[in-house]
Amino acid sequence: MTPQDTQQFVDQLVAGGLRLFDGQHFVDVAVVDQINGPTAPTPWLNIYQITEDRIQFAALAGTDPGELVVPTAWTVEESLYRTGSFAQERQD
């Protein structure tokens, strides 16, 4: 997601009653950077890495992370991991 899309999505979640930040940690929602991980402490989230592609993903701590699920059009070859640039913002 672009930073603008992320902000709009988080704003919708907060407007729906979820809590973002308690001053020290993410509470109900976390913002996770694809390269650097959570942007604030998030003890309820584990970060995993698929080493062959250096792809990171997050899962709820204490659970089996299961299989990585990505959007239909997403590919490793066109990802930030390989291109070094963000996807273009869609106009849907």
Side-chain angles (χ1 to χ4, degrees), residues 1 32-38 47-58 68-71 74-87:
M1 298 177 88
V32 180
D33 179 90
Q34 182 173 340
I35 302 297
N36 300 311
I47 304 300
Y48 298 89
Q49 185 174 59
I50 301 173
T51 54
E52 65 269 12
D53 292 315
R54 295 183 28 236
I55 295 171
Q56 295 188 79
F57 65 98
L68 177 64
V69 177
V70 299
W74 185 89
T75 65
V76 172
E77 294 73 30
E78 295 178 5
S79 71
L80 174 63
Y81 295 104
R82 295 282 170 82
T83 65
S85 62
F86 291 98

Side-chain angles (χ1 to χ4, degrees), residues 2-72:
T2 65
Q4 296 83 3
D5 289 342
T6 301
Q7 184 65 56
Q8 288 177 348
F9 184 62
V10 168
D11 289 348
Q12 288 177 352
L13 295 173
V14 170
L18 295 177
R19 295 170 298 146
L20 178 63
F21 192 68
D22 68 4
Q24 295 183 352
H25 303 95
F26 283 129
V27 180
D28 299 318
V29 177
V31 177
V32 180
D33 179 90
Q34 182 173 340
I35 302 297
N36 300 311
T39 58
T42 313
W44 47 269
L45 201 61
N46 285 343
I47 304 300
Y48 298 89
Q49 185 174 59
I50 301 173
T51 54
E52 65 269 12
D53 292 315
R54 295 183 28 236
I55 295 171
Q56 295 188 79
F57 65 98
L60 183 63
T63 65
D64 178 354
E67 197 174 318
L68 177 64
V69 177
V70 299
T72 305

